Amino acid sequence: MRQAGRYMEDYRKLRAQFSFLDLCKRPDLATEITVTPVERLGVDAAILFADILLVLEPMGVGLEYAKSDGPKIHRPVRTGVDVDRLVDFNPQEELSYVFDAVRKICAALNGKVPLIGFAGAPFTLASYLIEGGGSRDYRHTKQLIYSDRGAWHALMERLARLLASYLNGQIAAGAQVVQLFDSWVGCMAPEDYRDYVFPYTRLTIASITPGIPVIHFSTGTAGLLKLLREAGGNVIGIDWRVNLDQAWQKIGYDVGIQGNLDPVALYAPSPEIRRRVENILRRAAGRPGHIFNLGHGVLPETPVEHVIEMVRAVHELSMR
Ligand code: CP3
């Protein structure tokens, strides 16, 4: 999950000097931002400092990280003509700054912990492209599906191929695990997921370099778990809206599970955090293949000490 960010003072200091995109595009800074939380928090893996929306910038849609209300796409995709107008680009060239960062981070980590590379899943990226930012009801996204299925399928196929190439570039540069974030796919009905999303998530995952573990993450998808599992991934990442034991039973014990502490729990006093960690570990029941994580990214203003205490609690309570 997102583990760097504005809740950390070191990040805020750098962020005061550089724009978010500049931080992503400077491999030296991206390395520092990736490695600091590993040391500070004591987590067992690093996640690349980048963003799922970076792949949209070379498409020519006007990506901006606005100060207050999150990322914005200035020229959203609303029609088939808009889809055709998207710039085709080679991720190995246009996103080479990400691969440079991966190489630098791996050198800095020096094998201490693995590096997780990542990308957004086709649906979540399509939803940003179409809505122009975050959304409550995904009205424009669903409208494109309803009104121009051909354009939707064309867009999703382009995204799937782009994302596979992008992830494979991260793997070639040294990422040992990759995570695919389908953060907003929980808005889809199961049948619509199957028809309009599943083929492209599956294509993306099936195109990833063999032998590299894939974490397939989403939120609000208790009703989609079987389909998500079928779409692929060695590990399914879940949020807190579903009990971990029930989710694991649904997806099957032959795949791993990641999750699922509510990030808001990190505002609670430490005994409460520990109690909630313990509850999740009890549900995992010591089975191999559980990656303890939050159910979504760390929220701004989360006390860093509470994150450290959570990590400590996980280590203590899961010791064998
Ligand atoms: O440790 C890390 O921080 C890893 C890097 C990382 C970021 N974004 C950095 C970031 C990762 C893994 C992401 C993934 C991401 N980005 C997702 C998928 C995971 C999830 O949380 O669902 C999504 C949906 C995004 C899109 C995105 N980027 C949003 C919604 C926002 C704004 C939210 C916010 O907290 O401001 C961003 C910006 C962003 N990405 C920040 C960071 C550190 C904050 C930017 C800033 O400094 O202003």
Side-chain angles (χ1 to χ4, degrees), residues 33-71:
I33 298 171
T34 303
V35 173
T36 306
V38 174
E39 290 163 352
R40 197 74 216 289
L41 308 177
V43 287
D44 303 308
I47 184 152
L48 167 68
F49 179 76
D51 195 67
I52 64 164
L53 304 180
L54 297 178
V55 298
L56 305 183
E57 198 192 28
M59 291 182 157
V61 291
L63 169 67
E64 189 200 341
Y65 287 88
K67 268 255 139 37
S68 50
D69 43 16

Side-chain angles (χ1 to χ4, degrees), residues 2-4 6 11 15 20 48 50-51 118 128 183 296:
R2 285 193 245 165
Q3 62 190 20
R6 284 164 305 178
Y11 177 80
R15 189 64 179 78
F20 177 66
L48 167 68
D51 195 67
F118 72 92
Y128 274 106
S183 304
H296 212 164

Side-chain angles (χ1 to χ4, degrees), residues 122 155-165 200-201 203-204:
L155 174 62
M156 290 292 277
E157 180 158 357
R158 274 177 75 172
L159 287 171
R161 295 191 191 285
L162 164 66
L163 294 167
S165 162
Y200 305 102
T201 301
L203 174 61
T204 307

Side-chain angles (χ1 to χ4, degrees), residues 229-230 232-236 247-248 250-258 287-290:
R229 185 251 141 95
E230 231 183 285
N234 307 85
V235 176
I236 301 295
W248 208 348
K250 239 184 215 151
I251 59 175
Y253 298 118
D254 54 335
V255 286
I257 197 156
Q258 173 183 276
R287 281 197 186 83
H290 173 221

